Amino acid sequence: MKEAINGDAMAFRRRFFEEHADTDGRVPCALTGVPVSPSECHVDHAPPHTFVALATAFLAERRISPDGSHVTAPADNQFEPRLVDAALAADWRAYHRARAKLRVVEKDAHLRQGRDGRER
């Protein structure tokens, strides 16, 4: 599911930096306020609509069990499994676009967060 929205996340990062970067090409981290460049940040989902919360709700609404049957099997040069059904992937992207509140965060600050979006 992450792979299906990856393009949206990259587009968000690009637009955010185009609109908000200072003269050094940096924006403040949404968690720490520390200025970060595009290479020093991740795109994160602001709580309570974390990626896990959105994906779980999407699957539950569609009565889909997260058992792995809807994703591709491991393959060479595949870094993340992909949704097999293109229509389901498109539905997920639309669902995500309507609900996700994305933000730019410093990589280290992002990695200190738990799945619920709170610092560990």
Side-chain angles (χ1 to χ4, degrees), residues 1-116:
M1 292 178 79
K2 223 172 235 194
E3 189 279 331
I5 56 107
N6 199 29
D8 288 348
M10 291 180 356
F12 170 82
R13 178 193 329 236
R14 182 181 35 76
R15 277 191 318 272
F16 193 84
F17 274 88
E18 286 172 0
E19 295 172 10
H20 302 285
D22 63 16
T23 55
D24 294 325
R26 297 174 167 276
V27 300
C29 166
L31 297 173
T32 65
V34 173
V36 293
S37 69
S39 65
E40 299 168 328
C41 71
H42 288 166
V43 173
D44 181 41
H45 294 74
H49 302 294
T50 63
F51 177 82
V52 171
L54 290 171
T56 300
F58 175 81
L59 294 173
E61 286 179 20
R62 282 146 187 81
R63 292 185 164 84
I64 297 173
S65 174
D67 60 8
S69 64
H70 291 82
V71 297
T72 55
D76 287 345
N77 296 318
Q78 176 181 285
F79 298 102
E80 290 185 285
R82 296 185 172 117
L83 291 169
V84 175
D85 184 338
L88 182 64
D91 190 24
W92 161 240
R93 277 191 299 279
Y95 182 94
H96 181 268
R97 285 178 186 147
R99 291 162 180 82
K101 303 293 183 233
L102 300 177
R103 60 188 179 172
V104 171
V105 297
E106 179 185 25
K107 285 181 182 179
D108 289 340
H110 184 231
L111 296 175
R112 287 192 301 266
Q113 290 183 315
R115 290 180 155 231
D116 61 357

